[in-house]
Amino acid sequence: MASEKCFAKGSSAPGLVAKGQIRLYSMRFCPFAHRTRLVLHAKGIKHDTVNINLKDKPEWFLKKNPLGLVPTLETSSGQVIYESPITCDYLDEVYTDKKLLPADPFQKAQQKMMLENFSKVTPYFYKIPMGKKNGEDISVLEGELKEKFVKLNEDLVNKKSKFFGGNAITMIDYMMWPWFERLEIFELKHCLDGTPELKKWTEHMSEDQTVKATMFPTETYKAFYKTYADGKPNYDYGL
Ligand code: GSH
């Protein structure tokens, strides 16, 4: 297996993407790239992964994606796709086995609306740890996050289903999961105390083979995020 160590500025570009494969440019601990890793795994898509040093990005990476963000996909014909929801939808459309998005237009629209709503949740996972680090009172932020969790909980209660798209995992579950996997690391697990259905959802998700296969141990996450908070992210932590 190729090294998982990240490529930095000055590195030479990795070779071409092999025929019949797709490549993921990633960072091992990035929650957005985690979405794409979940979809690649769930659908059993043959791929290789090239990790990027996001503090010191290779020039060749910026040529592929001028935004310099992971996740980014590259096909063997050189097509480049980025923005996590777009990469996941692309994979679901191109690789038609085990579809994750519903075929029904209304159900698909519902998933997109949930995703849009969820985009207002993810910033708390940055704001709360940063606030804590700076010694600020984070109780208001935590209260806001809990309110957002109440809405998600209501959604599950109204649907009477195990997952957000029904009784099996679908795309929306994988789109939200990476942040829930990180609740413990950011000491936010108690935010689920008032939302039992959502908590149950996290338990069901933890049993999924794809979730298990793409997960890092809490200790590894904690160690990485410490280096990140200190301004010296060790993207290769544990390798
Ligand atoms: N909207 C993007 C998506 O959904 O893919 C966000 C991706 C993102 O922020 N990725 C981070 C990144 O690439 C790593 S977790 N950061 C590099 C930078 O900001 O320069």
Side-chain angles (χ1 to χ4, degrees), residues 4-55:
E4 283 185 56
K5 291 208 168 145
C6 65
F7 284 64
K9 192 173 186 163
S11 62
S12 41
L16 296 175
V17 181
K19 277 251 170 311
Q21 274 205 29
I22 191 152
R23 175 173 295 156
L24 172 67
Y25 295 96
S26 187
M27 187 281 271
R28 291 162 62 237
F29 304 109
C30 167
F32 296 96
H34 192 173
R35 287 175 161 168
T36 319
R37 293 196 294 117
L38 285 162
V39 171
L40 284 164
H41 187 278
K43 295 176 71 78
I45 299 170
K46 223 171 150 197
H47 65 281
D48 69 0
T49 302
V50 171
N51 288 311
I52 302 295
N53 183 326
L54 297 173
K55 268 260 180 195

Side-chain angles (χ1 to χ4, degrees), residues 34 38 174 177 181 205-206 208-215:
H34 192 173
L38 285 162
Y174 285 140
W177 174 251
E181 185 166 308
M205 288 298 286
S206 309
D208 177 59
Q209 287 313 313
T210 289
V211 163
K212 285 186 185 166
T214 55
M215 188 178 262

Side-chain angles (χ1 to χ4, degrees), residues 87-106:
T87 64
C88 294
D89 290 359
Y90 172 86
L91 292 172
D92 204 41
E93 270 183 54
V94 172
Y95 299 86
T96 50
D97 277 357
K98 197 173 185 293
K99 286 291 258 183
L100 289 170
L101 272 168
D104 176 73
F106 178 61

